[in-house]
Amino acid sequence: MSKVDLAKYDNSWYDHGPFLRRLVWLIIGRIIINTYLPIPAKFKVSILRLFGAKLGNNIMIKPKVNIKYPWLLEVGDNTWIGEQVWIDNLDYVKIGANVCLSQGVMLLTGNHDYKSQTFDLMVGKITLADGVWIGAKSLVAPGVICQVNAVLGAASLLSKNVPANEIWSGNPAIFIRKRIIE
């Protein structure tokens, strides 16, 4: 029987971006974005754009948001990013317009191959189309696509794609019903 050997773990293939950019972002991100200090959302958006994020207009960024790499982030107009949201974007994250990420949501683009002896890093993009709502304390796994107006209920784990206008919930998340917007 094979065993996991983390001493052989090697993610040298993964490009994190230039060291200096990551270091400066780590410091500035903690001071401006990942804080409870009352910093205006418009200023936060400006800082994220400075670090390469592609951001639309009228974006709300609440306190204590953690964004791994802003240069791998795109967010559409009128989107809300709630308190303590963690965008762990080792790969590209595209968030559409009029999206709501409720408190404590985690968007995780990285995972490990549990079948591999060396526990290899695996990454996958996340796409949240226009009108998506991700409920509080939910986790969206690598490679997931949520189509227009999809909803993920609070405290759910989503590892599958969600079709347009569907509500999913649970751990693992399953289809609950259609979303009807009146």
Side-chain angles (χ1 to χ4, degrees):
M1 177 187 225
S2 297
K3 294 182 181 179
V4 172
D5 186 355
L6 294 178
K8 295 179 181 176
Y9 177 77
D10 177 19
N11 70 340
S12 61
W13 60 269
Y14 179 76
D15 182 10
H16 298 83
F19 174 76
L20 187 57
R21 176 168 66 170
R22 288 184 286 128
L23 178 62
V24 172
W25 167 247
L26 180 67
I27 295 165
I28 299 299
R30 293 296 178 265
I31 295 169
I32 307 296
I33 309 295
N34 191 359
T35 182
Y36 281 115
L37 294 174
I39 296 172
K42 286 186 179 191
F43 185 67
K44 293 177 184 182
V45 166
S46 296
I47 294 299
L48 287 165
R49 284 182 178 139
L50 183 67
F51 280 89
K54 296 177 181 115
L55 304 177
N57 297 310
N58 197 31
I59 295 172
M60 173 55 66
I61 302 174
K62 291 293 199 171
K64 206 68 176 155
V65 169
N66 188 5
I67 298 170
K68 176 82 82 178
Y69 300 133
W71 48 92
L72 296 175
L73 179 63
E74 181 178 344
V75 180
D77 297 339
N78 307 311
T79 289
W80 301 347
I81 301 175
E83 188 171 338
Q84 295 184 347
V85 165
W86 182 4
I87 302 174
D88 193 30
N89 55 335
L90 297 171
D91 203 335
Y92 204 77
V93 171
K94 182 176 182 180
I95 301 169
N98 301 296
V99 170
C100 178
L101 301 179
S102 296
Q103 306 90 323
V105 163
M106 297 181 77
L107 304 180
L108 301 180
T109 61
N111 204 344
H112 295 276
D113 183 356
Y114 66 88
K115 297 176 191 172
S116 167
Q117 289 180 7
T118 55
F119 208 51
D120 298 329
L121 176 65
M122 303 181 307
V123 296
K125 297 174 183 161
I126 291 175
T127 301
L128 306 178
D130 296 348
V132 167
W133 176 19
I134 306 296
K137 300 288 185 180
S138 290
L139 186 148
V140 178
V144 167
I145 299 170
C146 291
Q147 297 293 340
V148 174
N149 295 327
V151 175
L152 179 63
S156 295
L157 169 61
L158 183 64
S159 59
K160 296 179 181 178
N161 295 340
V162 177
N165 299 299
E166 288 192 3
I167 299 170
W168 286 49
S169 189
N171 182 359
I174 58 170
F175 172 76
I176 302 298
R177 65 181 158 274
K178 290 297 244 181
R179 180 182 189 187
I180 299 168
I181 301 174
E182 299 176 359

